Amino acid sequence: METKTIWDRYMAYHNGFPQWELLGTEQRVDLVISEELIIPMRYDLLVRDKASNKVLVVDFKFTYNFWSPNDHDRDVQLAKYIVILNSVGIKCDGYILEEVRTRKPSAATINDAKFLFRRTTMYPTEATKRNSMRQHILASEEIIAYRGMTPEQQEYKAIPAFNKHAACKNCNFAS
């Protein structure tokens, strides 16, 4: 019931999606790199913004607190989505991150949308898109090689990952 209440407030705030032409929902797209490496993705929405005529992939994040600018900078999921869509012939210009805050609002903020929802539209640079895919492919190739190792070899090959959910969140080396 709580999720439905949050969703109903979100839809009421945005009046549904009147500024978007819906092009697709929850579609899986696979980018074939090689016989061994296929990168799958499933987007939430694909829309055309009526005002700008840009095609945008939309991702919903239900989050206790809104993302910080650093969280946005470190997250490359949607930049990769753009590359994958364009690579398989589906035009995509940028993305929209729809943050729906799940933290219970105070009485003072219950009807103030800026405390409940945040929409961030971004157009990643070519370098960001290229580098995010490059790192994804390199990591995927390492995983393929890792799976072919003995358990003893795997123990010495494991490396830490940098993402917003790990201990790296507050690391002094994040920049």
Side-chain angles (χ1 to χ4, degrees), residues 48-56 123:
R48 181 183 321 281
D49 181 74
K50 292 177 182 177
S52 67
N53 204 35
K54 300 278 187 194
V55 175
L56 304 163
Y123 300 93

Side-chain angles (χ1 to χ4, degrees), residues 36-47:
E36 294 179 302
L37 180 54
I38 298 170
I39 302 175
M41 62 158 288
R42 183 179 303 275
Y43 60 74
D44 291 338
L45 296 177
L46 189 65
V47 300

Side-chain angles (χ1 to χ4, degrees), residues 142 157-161:
E142 278 191 39
K157 184 66 175 165
I159 57 171

Side-chain angles (χ1 to χ4, degrees), residues 5-101:
T5 301
I6 292 167
W7 184 254
D8 289 345
R9 274 196 312 249
Y10 169 82
M11 291 305 281
Y13 169 69
H14 285 301
N15 266 341
F17 302 113
Q19 71 276 28
W20 295 342
E21 174 190 350
L22 187 60
L23 303 176
T25 60
E26 289 291 331
Q27 183 178 347
R28 180 182 163 134
V29 178
D30 292 335
L31 176 61
V32 178
I33 303 294
S34 70
E35 194 173 297
E36 294 179 302
L37 180 54
I38 298 170
I39 302 175
M41 62 158 288
R42 183 179 303 275
Y43 60 74
D44 291 338
L45 296 177
L46 189 65
V47 300
R48 181 183 321 281
D49 181 74
K50 292 177 182 177
S52 67
N53 204 35
K54 300 278 187 194
V55 175
L56 304 163
V57 64
V58 180
D59 194 50
F60 290 93
K61 297 292 186 201
F62 291 83
T63 181
Y64 186 77
N65 281 320
F66 292 135
W67 287 18
S68 71
N70 283 337
D71 293 334
H72 285 283
D73 288 343
R74 286 193 292 256
D75 186 77
V76 294
Q77 172 192 6
L78 294 166
K80 289 188 282 190
Y81 280 16
I82 294 167
V83 173
I84 292 168
L85 289 168
N86 287 329
S87 295
V88 300
I90 301 171
K91 179 185 190 280
C92 186
D93 301 300
Y95 69 81
I96 296 172
L97 182 67
E98 288 284 301
E99 294 176 77
V100 180
R101 199 172 199 182

